[in-house]
């Protein structure tokens, strides 16, 4: 269900969430432990105070299937959250084919948001998609963004809300972020195309969950600009 997110998306998204200046740090104990456990060259950086980036290079794990990598990446993220002293908002784990490289074709990357002390793997997006969020994107991702699996009736309400709000928002590349509740209007322009689709999906999912949790089916017109 999940797929790696591109490095530009993770870096921009991480810097957006950190809201702090960039500064690198290498927690040696954690990196050393992971290096020994994974038989790889592991480097750990703290970025902006509440974001941690983990690079796993020269490991046979790179060739593993997506399910295996998801398990390993989640375990790494959980260890990061438990090991660092200050709260973490985001963890990005990158597996490199050999040495650390900026070549996207030689890396497999997973991004986690940390909620209530637990890393939550972020959803996949279609990097080639244009226009409004697609039905496939919505159906594939909305459950992973929910705080807990909703009851069937509420699930139908949330899905309907998300679909209508996605149509009303239109193409993330052309929408005015000030018109959509929960979007980071001031830093929207810093996100790349995939990043905007992720953040818009999160924003309208949050709003849909609130609407369906407090007043049931929305009574407005599906085509109107929703806030």
């Amino acid at each position: 269900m999940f797929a790696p997110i591109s490095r530009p998306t993770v870096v921009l998204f991480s810097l957006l969430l950190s809201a702090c200046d960039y500064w690198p740090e290498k927690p040696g104990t954690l990196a050393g432990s992971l290096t020994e456990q994974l038989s790889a060259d592991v480097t750990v950086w703290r970025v902006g105070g509440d974001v941690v980036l983990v690079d796993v290079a020269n490991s046979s794990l790179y060739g593993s299937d997506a399910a295996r990598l998801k398990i390993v990446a989640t375990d790494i993220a959980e260890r990061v959250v438990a090991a660092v002293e200050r709260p973490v908002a985001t963890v990005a784990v990158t597996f490199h084919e050999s040495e650390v490289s900026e070549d996207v074709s030689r890396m497999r990357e997973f991004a986690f948001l940390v909620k209530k002390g637990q890393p939550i793997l972020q959803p996949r997006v279609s990097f080639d998609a244009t226009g409004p969020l697609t039905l496939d994107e919505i159906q594939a991702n909305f459950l992973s963004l929910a705080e807990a699996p909703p009851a069937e009736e509420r699930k139908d309400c949330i899905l309907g809300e998300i679909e209508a709000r996605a149509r009303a928002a239109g193409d993330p590349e052309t929408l005015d972020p000030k018109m959509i509740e929960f979007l980071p209007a001031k830093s929207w322009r810093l996100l790349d195309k995939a990043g905007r689709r992720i953040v818009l999906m999160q924003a309208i999912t949050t709003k849909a969950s609130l609407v369906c949790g407090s007043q049931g089916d929305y009574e407005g017109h599906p085509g109107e600009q929703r806030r």
Side-chain angles (χ1 to χ4, degrees):
M1 177 177 179
F2 298 99
I5 300 175
S6 69
R7 172 167 291 272
T9 296
V10 169
V11 172
L12 286 173
F13 196 37
S14 298
L15 293 177
L16 169 67
L17 289 173
S18 67
C20 299
D21 293 332
Y22 177 93
W23 59 276
E25 175 185 312
K26 295 185 179 181
T29 302
L30 177 60
S33 176
L34 289 171
T35 293
E36 182 176 354
Q37 176 189 350
L38 302 175
S39 299
D41 297 326
V42 180
T43 306
V44 182
W45 290 273
R46 180 186 285 273
V47 180
D50 58 0
V51 176
V52 174
L53 308 179
V54 182
D55 278 299
V56 182
N58 293 311
S59 170
S60 59
L61 286 169
Y62 177 85
S64 301
D65 59 33
R68 170 62 176 162
L69 277 184
K70 174 189 170 183
I71 292 172
V72 175
T74 301
D75 178 68
I76 291 173
E78 289 174 346
R79 291 186 60 181
V80 167
V81 173
V84 297
E85 295 181 359
R86 287 178 293 167
V88 175
T90 308
V91 179
V93 180
T94 305
F95 298 91
H96 295 272
E97 182 179 17
S98 52
E99 72 279 357
V100 174
S101 170
E102 291 299 319
D103 182 354
V104 175
S105 67
R106 297 174 62 195
M107 65 178 69
R108 302 175 70 181
E109 191 163 46
F110 298 82
F112 300 82
L113 291 185
V114 180
K115 296 183 179 181
K116 299 179 180 179
Q118 294 296 318
I120 308 299
L121 185 61
Q122 291 307 282
R124 70 186 182 200
V125 296
S126 172
F127 297 109
D128 297 324
T130 58
L133 293 174
T134 66
L135 184 59
D136 286 343
E137 285 178 292
I138 292 169
Q139 292 180 334
N141 296 326
F142 98 98
L143 282 177
S144 67
L145 296 174
E147 292 291 337
E152 195 65 30
E153 182 177 348
R154 187 164 180 264
K155 174 183 174 181
D156 292 341
C157 174
I158 294 174
L159 268 175
E161 277 291 316
I162 294 174
E163 291 175 24
R165 291 175 184 278
R167 288 194 301 270
D171 190 339
E173 290 296 289
T174 58
L175 69 80
D176 179 356
K178 295 179 181 179
M179 299 300 295
I180 307 295
E181 198 169 357
F182 302 119
L183 281 186
K186 292 184 179 180
S187 49
W188 179 252
R189 64 181 179 81
L190 299 176
L191 296 170
D192 64 5
K193 182 173 71 171
R196 290 182 182 183
R197 299 185 80 83
I198 292 173
V199 174
L200 176 60
M201 181 69 193
Q202 291 173 325
I204 62 178
T205 298
T206 298
K207 183 61 177 181
S209 297
L210 292 174
V211 168
C212 292
S214 61
Q215 64 187 59
D217 291 339
Y218 186 77
E219 297 178 355
H221 190 279
E224 69 180 295
Q225 184 75 17
R226 296 178 168 205
R227 289 184 58 80

